[in-house]
Amino acid sequence: MAPTSLIPLVLSFFLSLSINPTLPSSLINELNQPPPPDFPAIISNNCLKDPSLRYCNSAATDITNIYKSIVVARHLCTESNNSDCNVSFAKIDLRSRPKVTPLYLSFAFFWKYCPLSVLSIDLSNNSLEGPFPSDVLHCTQIQSLDISLNKLDGTVPLEDFTLLSNLSFLNLSYNHFSEGNIEEIAFFERFNSSSFLHSGLFPGDHHYGFKVTTAILLLIGVLISVVSVVGCFGWVFVRRPDFLPSFLWRSHKFTVAMLKKATDGFSEDNLVWRGERGKIYKGRLRDGLEVEIKVQRGRISAELHRAFDEECRVLVQLRHKNLVKVLGWCDQRELRAVVMEKMWVCSVEGWLLGSPPWKQRLKVSMEVVEALCYLQEQWSSIGYDLRTRNVMLTEDNEPLILKFKVGDQNTKSRSKYQNRCFLGNDCFLLSLGAEFMLLLSIIEGQQ
Ligand SMILES: *[C@@H]1O[C@H](CO)[C@@H](O)[C@H](O)[C@H]1NC(C)=O
Ligand SMILES: *[C@@H]1O[C@H](CO)[C@@H](O)[C@H](O)[C@H]1NC(C)=O
Ligand SMILES: *[C@@H]1O[C@H](CO)[C@@H](O)[C@H](O)[C@H]1NC(C)=O
Ligand SMILES: *[C@@H]1O[C@H](CO)[C@@H](O)[C@H](O)[C@H]1NC(C)=O
Ligand SMILES: *[C@@H]1O[C@H](CO)[C@@H](O)[C@H](O)[C@H]1NC(C)=O
Ligand SMILES: *[C@@H]1O[C@H](CO)[C@@H](O)[C@H](O)[C@H]1NC(C)=O
């Protein structure tokens, strides 16, 4: 076997491995076999009977490739669902077979000796890439050729088509060929435009310049939009955080303007509570969130400012379903405010007036205990004021602890802060019933 004839063999072997490991291994095996000893005789015999067979001219010199072409022909015949594959076959049907089609196209020896019986070749819908598979045009006798729905590019060898004198069906549609002068070749007059739809062969198929310009313009547009959106966002983020949905706030810092906006300029209508040390307003943030805002006016020392700031920084980090959610704060020279999400509808104090059922009281108190556990475990520096008026209830009877004391107090003063509650008449646990003293003792015991 000549080394040159080995190359396509080895190549096809590896191709078959890489492209389609499922291709019958028998094909690969057969291609690796030398022709049987009597093969030259068979060929000669065939050529005597039918001298027009393609291999007859080169039979003497190219036995191996002729043998392989016949092996491939037999497999391709079966692959194409022809009925009788040991004699001759009429169609090569590799439509929608993207795995095996490139492999069969790579068998140049097959196409060189394209069986005369083949009248139709369908390679459509295979995502074929690269140049036009010119080897196919060796089958000059074909009447039908379909190469549509692929991704072939480059020039189509239009002149070579004129050899296909019996071709009556052609489909080159949906490819990426470069423009060709089909109109100038009489041969193609027999085909109408539906043979060349979006093939790239006509000027109308090419919008590349246009496409590139459009793409660049589009890209610039997108870039500008992105930059402006990011810029806007950044500006809003820094200058007007109230324009953002509240969940996006990182700083938790409110400006006086934002508070004014939320409370209609601290209007009396929104005043909920007025005390010696400050006022509480209800309000609504720009994104619709209902809030309650505790406001304290007047100058205070720098040290107190710092303490307030530190306290707020801690409060906004509390995350428990039974602790009121502190959204942020405002710390200006003349005004300090804490903004809380208003999720509650009443206080436990008010609720108890309606003598709620025992079961609900238990549920509420257990949830309060949960929140206390959370505070104990994660925020041991935070004290809480458990008077019934300071524990609120949501619509779903979820308690929310409203009042905390953060910061400088040591454990002793903290427990004092709690004890004041526990001893008072309006102590949350006491009010709920004597049994809660048990819970209380459990909690206290934990400390
Ligand atoms: C080929 O024939 C087999 C059965 O012989 C059938 O299952 C298959 O659908 C056919 N394929 C095509 C493309 O006609
Ligand atoms: C083709 O093969 C079938 C069965 O494999 C056989 O019956 C038939 O004779 C063969 N035809 C020729 C021309 O060899
Ligand atoms: C093309 O092939 C894909 C699968 O590879 C198939 O889903 C699709 O229906 C085929 N399209 C045509 C027009 O045959
Ligand atoms: C076209 O068909 C005719 C009649 O079947 C045949 O004689 C001729 O050889 C064919 N042309 C080619 C190029 O095969
Ligand atoms: C184009 O030719 C095909 C046959 O090859 C025919 O079915 C189709 O109707 C023709 N289309 C037009 C637009 O003439
Ligand atoms: C060629 O293939 C395309 C895509 O499947 C189809 O739209 C067109 O009608 C076909 N043309 C002919 C002549 O069959």
Side-chain angles (χ1 to χ4, degrees):
M1 197 187 294
T4 42
S5 63
L6 258 176
I7 293 168
L9 191 66
V10 170
L11 201 69
S12 63
F13 178 71
F14 281 108
L15 269 176
S16 68
L17 282 185
S18 59
I19 295 174
N20 180 31
T22 64
L23 193 76
S25 53
S26 63
L27 171 58
I28 306 305
N29 287 339
E30 284 179 58
L31 287 176
N32 279 319
Q33 303 298 318
D38 60 343
F39 187 68
I42 297 174
I43 297 280
S44 310
N45 202 12
N46 286 349
C47 285
L48 276 179
K49 281 192 258 171
D50 184 357
S52 70
L53 290 172
R54 283 210 164 77
Y55 51 71
C56 291
N57 284 337
S58 39
T61 55
D62 206 11
I63 288 292
T64 308
N65 275 343
I66 294 170
Y67 173 69
K68 287 194 295 178
S69 80
I70 288 172
V71 168
V72 169
R74 202 168 59 243
H75 281 268
L76 197 45
C77 175
T78 316
E79 197 91 63
S80 302
N81 270 16
N82 288 286
S83 52
D84 185 2
C85 286
N86 56 3
V87 188
S88 57
F89 63 103
K91 65 172 196 277
I92 293 175
D93 181 359
L94 292 173
R95 176 177 28 142
S96 305
R97 306 286 309 277
K99 285 194 175 151
V100 294
T101 303
L103 181 63
Y104 279 112
L105 283 173
S106 74
F107 295 143
F109 49 82
F110 167 77
W111 299 102
K112 183 178 172 193
Y113 299 120
C114 178
L116 286 173
S117 59
V118 171
L119 295 179
S120 137
I121 298 176
D122 189 345
L123 306 173
S124 65
N125 194 28
N126 279 315
S127 308
L128 295 175
E129 288 176 358
F132 183 89
S134 299
D135 282 348
V136 166
L137 299 182
H138 285 296
C139 308
T140 49
Q141 77 284 357
I142 54 172
Q143 296 165 3
S144 160
L145 177 62
D146 195 338
I147 306 195
S148 63
L149 296 166
N150 282 301
K151 295 171 182 163
L152 298 167
D153 51 32
T155 55
V156 175
L158 295 174
E159 293 293 342
D160 295 350
F161 268 82
T162 56
L163 300 173
L164 314 182
S165 52
N166 288 343
L167 195 71
S168 58
F169 177 89
L170 175 66
N171 202 342
L172 300 177
S173 302
Y174 298 97
N175 275 293
H176 308 313
F177 296 123
S178 40
E179 208 176 312
N181 49 345
I182 282 186
E183 274 120 342
E184 288 166 26
I185 301 175
F187 172 82
F188 289 101
E189 279 166 14
R190 65 182 89 174
F191 308 112
N192 63 31
S193 61
S194 72
S195 295
F196 311 101
L197 304 168
H198 303 280
S199 59
L201 287 162
F202 287 104
D205 296 338
H206 292 270
H207 305 290
Y208 288 113
F210 172 72
K211 272 184 196 157
V212 169
T213 320
T214 316
I216 289 174
L217 283 179
L218 215 74
L219 197 71
I220 291 174
V222 166
L223 272 179
I224 289 175
S225 318
V226 166
V227 165
S228 35
V229 164
V230 168
C232 247
F233 226 76
W235 181 82
V236 164
F237 208 87
V238 173
R239 306 295 300 272
R240 295 298 302 267
D242 54 328
F243 274 94
L244 297 172
S246 42
F247 67 84
L248 278 178
W249 297 342
R250 290 274 195 70
S251 67
H252 302 285
K253 289 263 193 175
F254 285 76
T255 62
V256 175
M258 287 160 74
L259 299 182
K260 275 190 179 163
K261 180 94 194 156
T263 58
D264 279 337
F266 299 113
S267 76
E268 288 292 313
D269 286 347
N270 284 325
L271 190 62
V272 176
W273 180 84
R274 189 198 305 265
E276 273 173 53
R277 299 266 234 50
K279 295 174 177 177
I280 296 181
Y281 292 90
K282 66 177 159 68
R284 194 178 280 277
L285 298 184
R286 196 173 270 272
D287 66 352
L289 203 64
E290 256 191 272
V291 291
E292 214 168 91
I293 306 173
K294 220 172 359 177
V295 180
Q296 227 178 49
R297 288 179 192 271
R299 293 191 174 217
I300 52 171
S301 69
E303 202 174 319
L304 283 177
H305 265 297
R306 204 169 43 247
F308 174 75
D309 203 62
E310 273 170 22
E311 182 166 334
C312 292
R313 277 178 206 283
V314 173
L315 289 181
V316 293
Q317 295 179 60
L318 298 183
R319 289 280 176 276
H320 190 277
K321 69 176 171 48
N322 299 115
L323 299 179
V324 75
K325 192 166 167 199
V326 176
L327 296 173
W329 71 96
C330 171
D331 186 11
Q332 302 286 317
R333 190 192 279 240
E334 296 274 345
L335 180 147
R336 286 157 309 288
V338 177
V339 182
M340 297 166 288
E341 189 172 2
K342 184 177 185 300
M343 310 246 309
W344 60 88
V345 290
C346 66
S347 68
V348 167
E349 187 177 51
W351 179 65
L352 287 172
L353 293 178
S355 300
W358 161 256
K359 220 173 143 183
Q360 280 185 22
R361 294 179 195 219
L362 182 63
K363 179 183 160 284
V364 165
S365 53
M366 286 316 290
E367 278 167 346
V368 167
V369 169
E370 266 180 41
L372 297 189
C373 286
Y374 166 79
L375 286 175
Q376 299 246 326
E377 280 165 16
Q378 317 240 348
W379 300 96
S380 56
S381 70
I382 296 181
Y384 29 84
D385 187 348
L386 269 196
R387 274 173 288 193
T388 45
R389 79 166 73 106
N390 292 332
V391 179
M392 311 310 277
L393 279 183
T394 67
E395 232 168 353
D396 308 324
N397 278 354
E398 283 281 343
L400 289 171
I401 300 176
L402 187 61
K403 269 201 164 177
F404 310 99
K405 187 79 192 127
V406 187
D408 57 3
Q409 81 260 23
N410 51 38
T411 321
K412 199 165 138 227
S413 66
R414 169 169 159 251
S415 77
K416 201 167 120 203
Y417 189 70
Q418 292 166 30
N419 285 344
R420 202 175 67 218
C421 146
F422 291 136
L423 299 175
N425 282 339
D426 55 354
C427 171
F428 174 78
L429 293 171
L430 271 180
S431 311
L432 284 166
E435 281 74 7
F436 291 101
M437 290 308 288
L438 183 65
L439 291 177
L440 166 63
S441 61
I442 293 170
I443 301 160
E444 293 284 72
Q446 272 182 354
Q447 286 182 357

